């Protein structure tokens, strides 16, 4: 699968969507349902394994890794749905679920549910989906509503600097009926399993961080290969013999390895709590989010270093280094890995009042 993803990456970026072959392989391999219950045909991975698999997919191509990450993270919603609804949405082995949690839809109460109208942005993978999740506002408060793809109109708006093949377009529904059974909030698990005990809002933050690390790892891989073969203009030896390049490569590897170790250590600690049935405390959740934001920031720095070491070779469209640079920086802009989580962590650590409801 990874070799196919690498081979198709340039075409996917050009077309601003993953190639049909890559989509089919992701679905076949269960990469879009990695966190869904095994009872529904999901892979029900433990979180440390999920993080490693997402990073590996993003190393093959950032957009493919992102698509697998966001669909599989959304598939974890099955743990919070009534069993009959989870079966309806994810019972089919090839069913794909993604969407936008921001509460941008307006819901009007009707018999048996709500009629919803709204338009959302950042709809990564929505064009691939059988079902789409959207945050809505009801008279009783926010909800996550699940729409069949037939109710969704996708607008071609994703013309971005990076992650171009994620198809993160705007999408909308107009007066769509959503029965009560396909609405959820607050997020109360309907099953007792480690994935159901892990903080739901942290899935996306952890996944985004893993994508960032995968893209940065690809950048280091590419520039190492380039350094062994490239001789700069007017130089007499390959780039790998230059002290400046050696220092930059070593720095990039150190930054990447340290960020990965921090993220994986925090994921492992929080996962151990979930397995043991220990509620996630505020300090632990804040530290996990710190590790996610740190990973994203360091990954962006690593791709900048790799791009700079590559010199003029990095700027051409056929160089994966320029794609890594753009993908890592777009991924690191995601709100779930914003640097404001550094501030949140510090306030929690220092007992300064702060809103922790979205940790």
């Amino acid at each position: 699968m990874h070799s196919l993803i690498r081979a198709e990456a340039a075409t996917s970026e050009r077309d601003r969507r993953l190639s049909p072959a890559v989509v089919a392989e992701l679905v076949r391999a269960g990469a879009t349902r990695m966190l869904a219950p095994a009872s529904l045909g999901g892979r029900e991975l433990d979180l440390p394994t999920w993080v490693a698999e997402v990073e590996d997919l993003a190393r093959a191509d950032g957009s493919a890794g992102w698509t697998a990450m966001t669909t599989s993270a959304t598939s974890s919603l099955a743990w919070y749905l009534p069993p009959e609804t989870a079966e309806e949405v994810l019972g089919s082995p090839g069913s794909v679920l993604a969407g936008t949690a921001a509460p941008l839809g307006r819901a009007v109460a009707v018999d048996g549910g709500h009629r919803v109208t709204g338009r959302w942005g950042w709809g990564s993978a929505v064009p691939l989906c059988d079902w789409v999740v959207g945050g809505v506002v009801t008279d009783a408060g926010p909800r996550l509503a699940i729409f069949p793809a037939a109710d969704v109109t996708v607008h071609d708006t994703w013309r971005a600097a990076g992650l171009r093949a994620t198809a993160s377009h705007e999408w909308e529904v107009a007066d769509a009926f959503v029965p009560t059974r396909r609405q959820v909030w607050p997020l109360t698990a309907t099953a007792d399993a480690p994935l159901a005990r892990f903080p739901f809002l942290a899935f996306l933050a952890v996944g985004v961080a893993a994508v960032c690390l995968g893209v940065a790892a690809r950048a280091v891989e590419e520039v190492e290969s380039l350094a062994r073969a490239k001789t700069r203009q007017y130089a007499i030896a390959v780039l790998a013999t230059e002290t400046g390049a050696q220092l930059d490569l070593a720095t990039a590897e150190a930054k990447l390895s340290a960020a990965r170790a921090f993220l994986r250590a925090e994921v492992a600690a929080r996962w151990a709590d979930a397995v043991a049935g220990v509620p996630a405390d505020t300090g632990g959740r804040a530290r996990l989010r710190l590790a996610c934001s740190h990973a994203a920031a360091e990954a962006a720095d690593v791709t900048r270093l790799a791009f700079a070491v590559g010199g003029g070779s990095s700027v051409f469209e056929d160089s994966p280094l320029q794609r890594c640079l753009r993908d890592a920086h777009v991924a690191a802009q995601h709100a779930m890995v914003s640097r404001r989580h550094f501030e949140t962590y510090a306030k929690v650590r220092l007992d300064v009042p702060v809103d922790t409801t979205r940790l």
Side-chain angles (χ1 to χ4, degrees):
M1 177 169 63
H2 294 78
S3 59
L4 171 67
I5 290 171
R6 286 187 181 228
E8 295 285 313
T11 299
S12 293
E13 171 159 292
R14 182 198 66 205
D15 295 343
R16 295 187 302 116
R17 61 179 179 84
L18 295 181
S19 73
V22 168
V23 173
E25 185 60 18
L26 289 174
V27 173
R28 186 206 63 78
T32 59
R33 299 156 62 90
M34 289 189 276
L35 301 184
S39 61
L40 295 173
R43 293 179 63 193
E44 200 172 324
L45 293 183
D46 61 84
L47 258 292
T49 300
W50 183 62
V51 168
E53 290 210 14
V54 169
E55 182 179 333
D56 282 346
L57 287 166
R59 186 169 184 161
D61 174 51
S63 289
W66 186 276
T67 298
M69 177 277 295
T70 192
T71 52
S72 57
T74 311
S75 77
S76 69
L77 194 61
W79 295 101
Y80 303 89
L81 296 171
E84 64 275 13
T85 304
E87 176 67 30
E88 177 187 15
V89 173
L90 286 169
S92 172
S95 183
V96 178
L97 176 69
T100 310
L104 301 177
R106 297 294 166 181
V108 177
V110 295
D111 187 33
H114 290 84
R115 302 205 72 89
V116 176
T117 297
R119 181 162 174 156
W120 293 259
W122 310 98
S124 299
V126 165
L128 312 178
C129 288
D130 302 280
W131 297 87
V132 181
V133 179
V136 303
V137 176
T138 74
D139 290 341
R143 297 283 190 276
L144 291 178
I146 303 177
F147 309 95
D151 287 349
V152 173
T153 299
V154 176
H155 300 279
D156 186 355
T157 57
W158 184 245
R159 298 179 181 275
L163 297 176
R164 291 178 177 173
T166 59
S168 302
H169 303 296
E170 294 180 10
W171 59 277
E172 71 174 324
V173 298
D175 196 34
F177 175 66
V178 184
T180 302
R181 72 175 186 279
R182 283 200 266 110
Q183 301 176 36
V184 59
W185 201 273
L187 290 168
T188 303
T190 57
D192 186 25
L195 281 170
R197 300 185 205 117
F198 197 84
F200 177 80
L201 294 176
F203 284 129
L204 184 57
V206 169
V208 171
V211 170
C212 290
L213 292 175
V215 173
R218 176 65 179 276
V220 171
E221 173 190 329
E222 291 293 336
V223 80
E224 284 181 350
S225 178
L226 181 66
R228 296 175 188 275
K230 175 178 178 175
T231 301
R232 292 192 197 272
Q233 193 174 24
Y234 306 120
I236 59 173
V238 294
L239 182 59
T241 65
E242 296 184 10
T243 301
Q246 294 165 358
L247 290 174
D248 285 344
L249 281 169
T251 299
E253 180 59 35
K255 289 167 73 68
L256 173 61
S257 297
R260 180 188 292 123
F262 183 22
L263 177 67
R264 293 193 178 185
E266 290 306 311
V267 168
R270 301 289 72 75
W271 181 249
D273 287 345
V275 171
V278 177
D281 63 77
T282 301
R285 287 184 289 125
R287 187 172 173 85
L288 175 63
R289 298 299 292 277
L290 173 66
C292 293
S293 294
H294 176 260
E298 289 293 272
D301 280 346
V302 166
T303 60
R304 278 196 295 270
L305 267 175
F307 182 83
V309 172
S313 301
S314 303
V315 308
F316 295 98
E317 288 186 352
D318 62 355
S319 169
L321 283 170
Q322 53 81 26
R323 188 165 66 246
C324 289
L325 179 75
R326 293 184 286 101
D327 286 352
H329 282 76
V330 169
Q333 293 290 93
H334 198 286
M336 296 301 283
V337 292
S338 164
R339 285 187 61 82
R340 70 171 179 270
H341 295 296
F342 281 69
E343 180 183 356
T344 299
Y345 170 77
K347 287 181 175 179
V348 169
R349 185 67 181 264
L350 297 171
D351 298 318
V352 175
V354 61
D355 180 10
T356 59
T357 57
R358 297 191 64 82
L359 288 179

